[in-house]
Amino acid sequence: MEDSTPPPPPEEQSPPPPPPATHTGSPTDFLKGVVGKRVIVRLTSGMDYRGVLSCLDGYMNIALEQTEEHVNGVVTNRYGDAFIRGNNVLYISAAEAF
Amino acid sequence: MASQILPLELIDKCIGSRIWVIMKNDREFTGTLLGFDDFVNMVLEDVKEYETTPQGKKMTRLAQTLLNGNNICMLIPGSAGPDAT
């Protein structure tokens, strides 16, 4: 009766564990975290819209509440609700912690 | 050709480190890369936005930001951006 224990598997170089995620990483996770918060949306034209992000979709179409339109740092308009078509969006930036 | 690395694998290796993003127009961003997707939309943290205007370069600081990938031209991993050059 041969004691045929299989050899131990070769020691695999396991990748180091990822650093503890302070927030979530991917764009989808960012968007999930930022809904309902104050954001700054900059368009490719350079105009800023600041307001509360009420919802958005995969095209980066955006619905904002309490919107302020900023041009060169000056408030030029206020809207209760605003829809921004996604193709104009340069970035969405969190204006408060989440 | 066993050890070919895809362009997006290179960017994936940059997650967690500083990256310099140059747009198609006169705009640049630096920040810590938190993640990106198939369109190379990028989530950046501790962001500086640089706008090149006729009056000179204008810098804006931003918190966590989702940058639309549509206008991105070039990514430079590990760089602190135009300030460092």
Coordinates of all heavy atoms in Angstrom, one line a residue, chain A residues 14-76:
Chain A
S14 N 0.8 34.6 -5.7 CA -0.6 35.3 -5.7 C -0.4 36.8 -5.8 O 0.6 37.3 -5.2 CB -1.3 34.9 -4.5 OG -0.7 35.4 -3.3
P15 N -1.2 37.4 -6.6 CA -1.1 38.9 -6.7 C -1.3 39.5 -5.3 O -2.1 39.0 -4.5 CB -2.1 39.3 -7.7 CG -3.1 38.2 -7.6 CD -2.4 36.9 -7.3
P16 N -0.6 40.6 -5.0 CA -0.9 41.3 -3.8 C -2.3 41.8 -3.7 O -2.9 42.1 -4.7 CB 0.1 42.5 -3.8 CG 0.4 42.7 -5.2 CD 0.3 41.4 -5.9
P17 N -2.9 41.7 -2.5 CA -4.3 42.2 -2.4 C -4.4 43.7 -2.8 O -3.4 44.4 -2.5 CB -4.6 42.0 -0.9 CG -3.3 42.0 -0.2 CD -2.3 41.4 -1.2
P18 N -5.5 44.0 -3.4 CA -5.6 45.4 -3.8 C -5.6 46.3 -2.6 O -6.0 45.9 -1.5 CB -7.0 45.5 -4.5 CG -7.7 44.3 -4.0 CD -6.7 43.2 -3.7
P19 N -5.2 47.6 -2.7 CA -5.2 48.5 -1.6 C -6.6 48.7 -1.1 O -7.6 48.7 -2.0 CB -4.6 49.8 -2.2 CG -4.8 49.7 -3.6 CD -4.7 48.2 -3.9
P20 N -6.8 48.9 0.1 CA -8.2 49.1 0.6 C -8.9 50.3 -0.1 O -8.4 51.4 -0.1 CB -8.0 49.4 2.1 CG -6.6 49.8 2.3 CD -5.9 49.0 1.2
A21 N -10.0 50.0 -0.7 CA -10.6 51.0 -1.5 C -11.3 52.0 -0.6 O -12.2 51.6 0.1 CB -11.7 50.4 -2.4
T22 N -10.8 53.2 -0.6 CA -11.5 54.3 0.2 C -12.9 54.5 -0.4 O -13.8 54.7 0.3 CB -10.6 55.5 0.2 OG1 -10.3 55.9 -1.1 CG2 -9.4 55.3 1.0
H23 N -12.9 54.7 -1.7 CA -14.2 54.8 -2.4 C -14.2 53.6 -3.4 O -13.2 52.8 -3.5 CB -14.3 56.1 -3.1 CG -14.1 57.3 -2.2 ND1 -15.0 57.5 -1.2 CD2 -13.1 58.2 -2.2 CE1 -14.5 58.6 -0.6 NE2 -13.4 59.0 -1.2
T24 N -15.2 53.6 -4.2 CA -15.2 52.6 -5.3 C -14.5 53.2 -6.5 O -14.5 54.4 -6.7 CB -16.6 52.2 -5.6 OG1 -17.4 53.4 -5.5 CG2 -17.1 51.2 -4.5
G25 N -14.0 52.3 -7.4 CA -13.1 52.8 -8.4 C -13.8 53.2 -9.7 O -13.6 54.2 -10.3
S26 N -14.6 52.3 -10.2 CA -15.1 52.4 -11.6 C -16.0 53.6 -11.8 O -16.6 54.0 -10.9 CB -15.7 51.1 -12.1 OG -17.0 51.0 -11.5
P27 N -16.1 54.1 -13.1 CA -17.1 55.1 -13.4 C -18.5 54.8 -12.9 O -19.2 55.7 -12.3 CB -17.0 55.2 -14.9 CG -15.6 54.9 -15.2 CD -15.3 53.8 -14.2
T28 N -19.0 53.6 -13.1 CA -20.3 53.3 -12.6 C -20.5 53.4 -11.1 O -21.5 54.0 -10.6 CB -20.6 51.8 -13.0 OG1 -19.9 51.4 -14.1 CG2 -22.1 51.6 -13.3
D29 N -19.5 53.0 -10.4 CA -19.5 53.1 -8.9 C -19.5 54.6 -8.5 O -20.1 55.0 -7.5 CB -18.4 52.3 -8.3 CG -18.5 50.8 -8.5 OD1 -19.7 50.4 -8.7 OD2 -17.5 50.1 -8.5
F30 N -18.6 55.3 -9.2 CA -18.6 56.8 -8.9 C -20.0 57.4 -9.1 O -20.4 58.1 -8.2 CB -17.6 57.5 -9.8 CG -17.6 59.0 -9.7 CD1 -16.9 59.6 -8.7 CD2 -18.3 59.7 -10.7 CE1 -17.0 61.0 -8.7 CE2 -18.4 61.1 -10.6 CZ -17.7 61.7 -9.6
L31 N -20.6 57.1 -10.2 CA -21.9 57.7 -10.4 C -23.0 57.2 -9.4 O -23.8 58.0 -9.0 CB -22.4 57.3 -11.8 CG -21.5 57.9 -12.9 CD1 -21.9 57.4 -14.3 CD2 -21.7 59.5 -12.9
K32 N -22.9 56.0 -9.0 CA -23.8 55.5 -8.0 C -23.6 56.3 -6.7 O -24.6 56.6 -6.0 CB -23.6 54.0 -7.7 CG -24.2 53.1 -8.6 CD -24.0 51.6 -8.2 CE -24.3 50.7 -9.4 NZ -23.6 49.4 -9.2
G33 N -22.4 56.6 -6.4 CA -22.1 57.3 -5.1 C -22.5 58.7 -5.1 O -22.7 59.4 -4.1
V34 N -22.5 59.3 -6.3 CA -22.6 60.8 -6.4 C -24.1 61.2 -6.7 O -24.4 62.4 -6.5 CB -21.7 61.3 -7.5 CG1 -22.3 61.3 -8.9 CG2 -21.1 62.6 -7.2
V35 N -25.0 60.3 -7.0 CA -26.4 60.7 -7.2 C -27.0 61.2 -5.9 O -26.8 60.6 -4.8 CB -27.2 59.4 -7.7 CG1 -28.7 59.8 -7.6 CG2 -26.8 59.1 -9.1
G36 N -27.7 62.3 -6.0 CA -28.3 62.9 -4.8 C -27.3 63.9 -4.1 O -27.8 64.6 -3.2
K37 N -26.1 64.0 -4.6 CA -25.1 64.9 -4.0 C -24.9 66.2 -4.9 O -25.3 66.2 -6.1 CB -23.8 64.2 -3.8 CG -23.8 63.0 -3.0 CD -24.1 63.3 -1.6 CE -23.7 62.1 -0.7 NZ -24.4 60.9 -1.0
R38 N -24.3 67.2 -4.3 CA -24.0 68.4 -5.2 C -22.8 68.0 -6.1 O -21.8 67.4 -5.6 CB -23.6 69.6 -4.3 CG -24.7 70.0 -3.4 CD -24.5 71.5 -2.9 NE -24.7 72.4 -4.0 CZ -25.9 72.9 -4.4 NH1 -27.0 72.5 -3.8 NH2 -26.0 73.7 -5.4
V39 N -22.9 68.4 -7.3 CA -21.9 68.1 -8.3 C -21.6 69.4 -9.1 O -22.4 70.3 -9.2 CB -22.3 67.0 -9.3 CG1 -22.4 65.7 -8.5 CG2 -23.5 67.3 -10.0
I40 N -20.4 69.4 -9.8 CA -20.1 70.4 -10.8 C -20.0 69.6 -12.1 O -19.2 68.7 -12.2 CB -18.7 71.0 -10.5 CG1 -18.7 71.6 -9.1 CG2 -18.4 72.1 -11.5 CD1 -17.3 71.9 -8.6
V41 N -20.8 70.0 -13.1 CA -20.8 69.4 -14.4 C -20.1 70.5 -15.3 O -20.7 71.6 -15.4 CB -22.2 69.1 -14.9 CG1 -22.1 68.5 -16.3 CG2 -22.8 68.1 -13.9
R42 N -19.0 70.2 -15.9 CA -18.4 71.1 -16.9 C -18.7 70.5 -18.3 O -18.5 69.4 -18.6 CB -16.9 71.3 -16.7 CG -16.3 72.2 -17.7 CD -15.0 72.8 -17.3 NE -15.2 73.8 -16.3 CZ -14.2 74.6 -15.8 NH1 -13.0 74.4 -16.3 NH2 -14.4 75.5 -14.9
L43 N -19.2 71.4 -19.2 CA -19.4 71.0 -20.6 C -18.1 71.3 -21.3 O -17.2 72.0 -20.9 CB -20.5 71.9 -21.1 CG -21.8 71.9 -20.4 CD1 -22.9 72.6 -21.2 CD2 -22.3 70.5 -20.0
T44 N -18.1 70.7 -22.5 CA -16.9 70.9 -23.4 C -16.7 72.4 -23.8 O -15.6 72.8 -24.0 CB -17.0 70.0 -24.6 OG1 -18.3 70.2 -25.2 CG2 -16.8 68.6 -24.3
S45 N -17.8 73.1 -23.7 CA -17.7 74.5 -24.0 C -17.1 75.3 -22.9 O -16.8 76.5 -23.1 CB -19.1 75.1 -24.3 OG -19.9 74.9 -23.2
G46 N -16.9 74.7 -21.7 CA -16.3 75.4 -20.6 C -17.3 76.0 -19.6 O -16.9 76.5 -18.6
M47 N -18.6 75.9 -19.9 CA -19.6 76.3 -18.9 C -19.7 75.3 -17.8 O -19.6 74.1 -18.1 CB -20.9 76.5 -19.6 CG -20.9 77.7 -20.6 SD -22.3 77.6 -21.7 CE -23.7 77.9 -20.6
D48 N -20.0 75.8 -16.6 CA -20.2 74.9 -15.5 C -21.7 74.9 -15.1 O -22.3 76.0 -15.1 CB -19.4 75.4 -14.3 CG -18.0 75.0 -14.4 OD1 -17.6 74.2 -15.2 OD2 -17.1 75.6 -13.7
Y49 N -22.2 73.8 -14.7 CA -23.5 73.7 -14.1 C -23.3 73.1 -12.7 O -22.8 71.9 -12.6 CB -24.5 72.9 -14.9 CG -24.9 73.6 -16.2 CD1 -24.1 73.5 -17.3 CD2 -26.0 74.5 -16.2 CE1 -24.4 74.3 -18.5 CE2 -26.3 75.2 -17.3 CZ -25.6 75.1 -18.4 OH -25.9 75.8 -19.5
R50 N -23.7 73.8 -11.7 CA -23.6 73.3 -10.3 C -25.0 73.0 -9.8 O -25.9 73.8 -9.9 CB -22.9 74.3 -9.4 CG -21.4 74.5 -9.7 CD -20.9 75.7 -9.0 NE -19.5 75.8 -9.2 CZ -18.6 75.5 -8.3 NH1 -19.1 75.1 -7.1 NH2 -17.4 75.6 -8.5
G51 N -25.2 71.8 -9.2 CA -26.5 71.5 -8.6 C -26.5 70.1 -8.0 O -25.4 69.5 -7.9
V52 N -27.7 69.7 -7.6 CA -27.8 68.4 -7.0 C -28.2 67.4 -8.2 O -29.1 67.6 -8.9 CB -29.0 68.4 -6.0 CG1 -29.2 67.0 -5.4 CG2 -28.6 69.4 -4.9
L53 N -27.4 66.4 -8.3 CA -27.5 65.4 -9.3 C -28.7 64.5 -9.0 O -28.7 63.8 -8.0 CB -26.3 64.6 -9.4 CG -26.2 63.5 -10.5 CD1 -26.3 64.1 -11.9 CD2 -24.9 62.7 -10.4
S54 N -29.8 64.6 -9.7 CA -31.0 63.8 -9.4 C -30.9 62.4 -10.1 O -31.2 61.4 -9.5 CB -32.3 64.5 -9.7 OG -32.3 65.0 -11.0
C55 N -30.5 62.4 -11.4 CA -30.3 61.1 -12.0 C -29.5 61.3 -13.3 O -29.2 62.4 -13.8 CB -31.6 60.4 -12.3 SG -32.6 61.3 -13.4
L56 N -29.0 60.1 -13.8 CA -28.2 60.1 -15.0 C -28.2 58.7 -15.6 O -28.7 57.8 -15.0 CB -26.8 60.6 -14.8 CG -25.8 59.7 -14.2 CD1 -24.4 60.4 -14.1 CD2 -26.1 59.3 -12.8
D57 N -27.7 58.6 -16.8 CA -27.7 57.3 -17.5 C -26.3 57.1 -18.1 O -25.4 57.8 -17.9 CB -28.8 57.2 -18.5 CG -28.6 58.3 -19.6 OD1 -27.5 58.8 -19.8 OD2 -29.6 58.5 -20.4
G58 N -26.2 56.0 -18.8 CA -25.0 55.6 -19.4 C -24.4 56.5 -20.5 O -23.2 56.4 -20.8
Y59 N -25.2 57.4 -21.0 CA -24.8 58.4 -22.0 C -24.2 59.6 -21.3 O -23.8 60.6 -22.0 CB -25.9 58.8 -22.9 CG -26.5 57.7 -23.8 CD1 -27.7 57.2 -23.5 CD2 -25.7 57.2 -24.8 CE1 -28.3 56.2 -24.3 CE2 -26.3 56.2 -25.6 CZ -27.5 55.7 -25.3 OH -28.0 54.7 -26.1
M60 N -24.3 59.6 -20.0 CA -24.0 60.8 -19.2 C -25.0 61.9 -19.4 O -24.7 63.1 -19.2 CB -22.5 61.3 -19.4 CG -21.5 60.5 -18.8 SD -19.9 61.4 -18.7 CE -18.8 60.1 -18.7
N61 N -26.2 61.6 -19.9 CA -27.3 62.5 -19.8 C -27.5 62.7 -18.3 O -27.5 61.8 -17.5 CB -28.6 61.9 -20.4 CG -28.4 61.7 -21.9 OD1 -27.8 62.5 -22.6 ND2 -29.0 60.6 -22.4
I62 N -27.8 64.0 -18.0 CA -27.9 64.3 -16.6 C -29.1 65.1 -16.3 O -29.5 66.0 -17.0 CB -26.6 65.2 -16.2 CG1 -25.4 64.3 -16.3 CG2 -26.7 65.8 -14.8 CD1 -24.1 65.1 -16.2
A63 N -29.8 64.8 -15.2 CA -30.8 65.7 -14.6 C -30.3 66.3 -13.3 O -29.9 65.7 -12.4 CB -32.1 64.9 -14.4
L64 N -30.3 67.7 -13.3 CA -29.8 68.4 -12.1 C -31.0 69.2 -11.5 O -31.9 69.6 -12.2 CB -28.8 69.4 -12.6 CG -27.3 69.0 -12.8 CD1 -26.5 70.2 -13.2 CD2 -26.7 68.3 -11.6
E65 N -30.9 69.3 -10.2 CA -31.9 70.2 -9.5 C -31.1 71.4 -8.9 O -29.9 71.2 -8.6 CB -32.5 69.4 -8.3 CG -33.4 68.3 -8.8 CD -33.9 67.3 -7.7 OE1 -33.3 67.4 -6.6 OE2 -34.8 66.6 -8.0
Q66 N -31.8 72.4 -8.6 CA -31.2 73.7 -8.0 C -30.0 74.1 -8.8 O -28.9 74.3 -8.2 CB -30.8 73.4 -6.5 CG -32.0 72.9 -5.7 CD -31.5 72.4 -4.3 OE1 -30.5 72.9 -3.8 NE2 -32.2 71.4 -3.8
T67 N -30.1 74.1 -10.1 CA -29.0 74.3 -10.9 C -28.5 75.8 -11.0 O -29.4 76.7 -11.2 CB -29.3 73.8 -12.4 OG1 -29.9 72.6 -12.2 CG2 -28.1 73.7 -13.2
E68 N -27.2 76.0 -11.0 CA -26.7 77.3 -11.2 C -25.7 77.2 -12.4 O -24.9 76.3 -12.5 CB -25.8 77.8 -10.0 CG -26.6 78.2 -8.8 CD -25.7 78.6 -7.7 OE1 -24.5 78.3 -7.8 OE2 -26.2 79.2 -6.7
E69 N -25.9 78.1 -13.4 CA -25.1 78.1 -14.6 C -23.9 79.1 -14.3 O -24.2 80.2 -14.0 CB -25.9 78.5 -15.8 CG -25.2 78.6 -17.1 CD -26.1 79.1 -18.2 OE1 -26.7 78.3 -18.8 OE2 -26.1 80.3 -18.4
H70 N -22.7 78.6 -14.4 CA -21.5 79.5 -14.2 C -20.8 79.6 -15.5 O -20.5 78.6 -16.2 CB -20.6 78.8 -13.2 CG -21.1 78.8 -11.8 ND1 -20.6 79.5 -10.7 CD2 -22.2 78.1 -11.2 CE1 -21.3 79.3 -9.6 NE2 -22.3 78.4 -9.9
V71 N -20.4 80.9 -15.8 CA -19.5 81.1 -16.9 C -18.4 81.9 -16.4 O -18.6 83.0 -15.8 CB -20.2 81.9 -18.0 CG1 -19.3 82.2 -19.2 CG2 -21.4 81.0 -18.6
N72 N -17.2 81.4 -16.5 CA -16.0 82.1 -15.9 C -16.1 82.4 -14.4 O -15.8 83.5 -14.0 CB -15.6 83.3 -16.7 CG -15.3 83.0 -18.1 OD1 -14.6 82.0 -18.4 ND2 -15.8 83.9 -19.1
G73 N -16.8 81.5 -13.7 CA -16.9 81.7 -12.3 C -18.0 82.6 -11.8 O -18.2 82.8 -10.6
V74 N -18.8 83.2 -12.8 CA -19.9 84.1 -12.5 C -21.2 83.3 -12.8 O -21.4 82.7 -13.8 CB -19.8 85.3 -13.4 CG1 -20.9 86.3 -13.0 CG2 -18.4 86.0 -13.3
V75 N -22.1 83.5 -11.8 CA -23.4 82.8 -12.0 C -24.2 83.6 -13.1 O -24.4 84.8 -12.9 CB -24.3 82.8 -10.7 CG1 -25.6 82.2 -10.9 CG2 -23.5 82.1 -9.6
T76 N -24.6 82.9 -14.1 CA -25.3 83.6 -15.2 C -26.8 83.2 -15.3 O -27.5 83.9 -16.0 CB -24.6 83.3 -16.5 OG1 -24.5 81.9 -16.6 CG2 -23.3 84.0 -16.6

